[in-house]
Amino acid sequence: MPSLFVVVGVVGTVVGCGWWLLAKPIHKTPREHDLSKARTAVVVGATGATGEYLVYHLLSSPHWEKVTTIGRRTLSNTQLQKLGPIDMHTIASKLEQHIIGLEQMSETVEWMRGHDVVFCTLGTTRARAGSAKAFLAVDLDGVIETAKAARAARVEHFSLVTAQGSNSGLPLTEWGFLHPILYSATKGRAEDHVKGAGFPKATIFQPGMLFRPNSGRQLEVIAGKLLPSLHVSDLALAMVYDAESPPPDMLDKPVVYSDKAIRFTASEAKKKTHVA
């Protein structure tokens, strides 16, 4: 029999999805795909479930010549090789990693300078963070400080992962049983900052339930069987594909990808890159 905590957790996940379903879906077709130039990327949040696949796909592509990660930890060669076939030479020649805390993101401007895009996949859970305040320090403050550093470095494109149902109009409640509201409110506020930061090109990805194959969390395994989920590798593929678009001639309106649009874009990416 599943424990009471698992049952309550699954119910909470379903309730959270209810909030997502109440949100108005935004579907955007992919930007024009352009592989005429080699690109460079920064990934903040590279050791997370989506971030590690993002780094893997960037390194595996001949269209990306440099990948820089910034975070509290680095990715090991073993971690990357567990995600799929990739040779040591590719990792050594294309990957540059920097260790720094989120509270020091203002010091990362020079590491970001000269890159085409900054991908931000920062995210944690309240349980892992330990409190609502600690959760906000990563999912909101961390994103805001990353975006500020990217703007200071004059990076043209900022690509952010949030979540389906994000809504900045909801209150930042610290009550544990209302965490789905805090989660949606936090993601909405992070989006609002990026939209208003003045990036020539900004993209926001709003996936629904994510499947993280290496998470090891019993709750996620159960929820993944009960509800349709998006593999984090597909989310990463869609982010890479979107970033492989022409540079903006002027300030573009931010593009928001719904879960449906992410799935469509990932399928297009697989057709062109032959990724399974």
Side-chain angles (χ1 to χ4, degrees):
M1 293 288 293
S3 70
L4 177 60
F5 292 105
V6 171
V7 172
V8 171
V10 172
V11 171
T13 300
V14 174
V15 171
C17 286
W19 280 101
W20 294 342
L21 293 174
L22 288 174
K24 183 179 179 181
I26 305 172
H27 304 310
K28 291 287 185 179
T29 55
R31 291 182 168 113
E32 180 184 350
H33 201 220
D34 175 23
L35 297 177
S36 61
K37 60 167 284 189
R39 293 176 168 85
T40 58
V42 173
V43 180
V44 178
T47 57
T50 302
E52 64 179 10
Y53 269 102
L54 184 55
V55 172
Y56 171 77
H57 288 309
L58 289 167
L59 291 175
S60 301
S61 171
H63 307 295
W64 293 84
E65 62 184 6
K66 180 182 178 182
V67 181
T68 300
T69 70
I70 298 175
R72 292 174 290 188
R73 299 185 305 278
T74 59
L75 277 169
S76 69
N77 293 349
T78 302
Q79 283 175 278
L80 290 168
Q81 290 175 321
K82 284 182 179 179
L83 303 180
I86 186 169
D87 64 84
M88 300 287 286
H89 174 73
T90 296
I91 297 174
S93 63
K94 296 172 66 172
L95 181 60
E96 180 179 303
Q97 303 197 79
H98 299 280
I99 299 177
I100 198 167
L102 289 179
E103 68 280 359
Q104 300 170 290
M105 287 304 295
S106 61
E107 301 174 20
T108 66
V109 174
E110 290 307 314
W111 293 340
M112 294 185 181
R113 197 180 304 280
H115 289 77
D116 294 294
V117 57
V118 170
F119 294 103
C120 182
T121 62
L122 288 173
T124 186
T125 63
R126 184 187 181 123
R128 178 176 290 181
S131 67
K133 182 178 180 180
F135 167 76
L136 288 167
V138 176
D139 284 55
L140 181 56
D141 298 340
V143 172
I144 289 174
E145 292 307 312
T146 299
K148 286 181 178 179
R151 280 294 291 138
R154 298 186 179 275
V155 177
E156 287 195 337
H157 185 190
F158 194 85
S159 184
L160 172 68
V161 177
T162 59
Q164 196 175 69
S166 58
N167 186 343
S168 60
L170 294 173
L172 291 175
T173 175
E174 294 190 9
W175 293 353
F177 71 96
L178 291 178
H179 181 69
I181 295 178
L182 173 64
Y183 186 83
S184 295
T186 300
K187 296 302 183 183
R189 284 165 171 77
E191 289 181 6
D192 287 351
H193 179 83
V194 171
K195 289 176 181 177
F199 287 101
K201 183 162 67 172
T203 314
I204 293 168
F205 292 84
Q206 297 178 333
M209 178 70 69
L210 290 174
F211 174 62
R212 303 171 176 87
N214 302 318
S215 73
R217 301 177 195 165
Q218 186 180 8
L219 173 59
E220 288 195 2
V221 174
I222 295 173
K225 292 180 179 179
L226 294 176
L227 300 167
S229 58
L230 174 71
H231 198 296
V232 287
S233 177
D234 286 352
L235 171 56
L237 273 175
M239 296 179 73
V240 173
Y241 192 87
D242 170 79
E244 293 172 342
S245 53
D249 294 326
M250 56 187 70
L251 188 66
D252 280 359
K253 182 179 179 180
V255 172
V256 180
Y257 282 76
S258 65
D259 187 83
K260 180 179 178 180
I262 294 169
R263 293 173 186 271
F264 173 77
T265 306
S267 68
E268 290 297 298
K270 289 177 182 179
K271 291 177 186 176
K272 295 190 177 182
T273 59
H274 307 292
V275 175

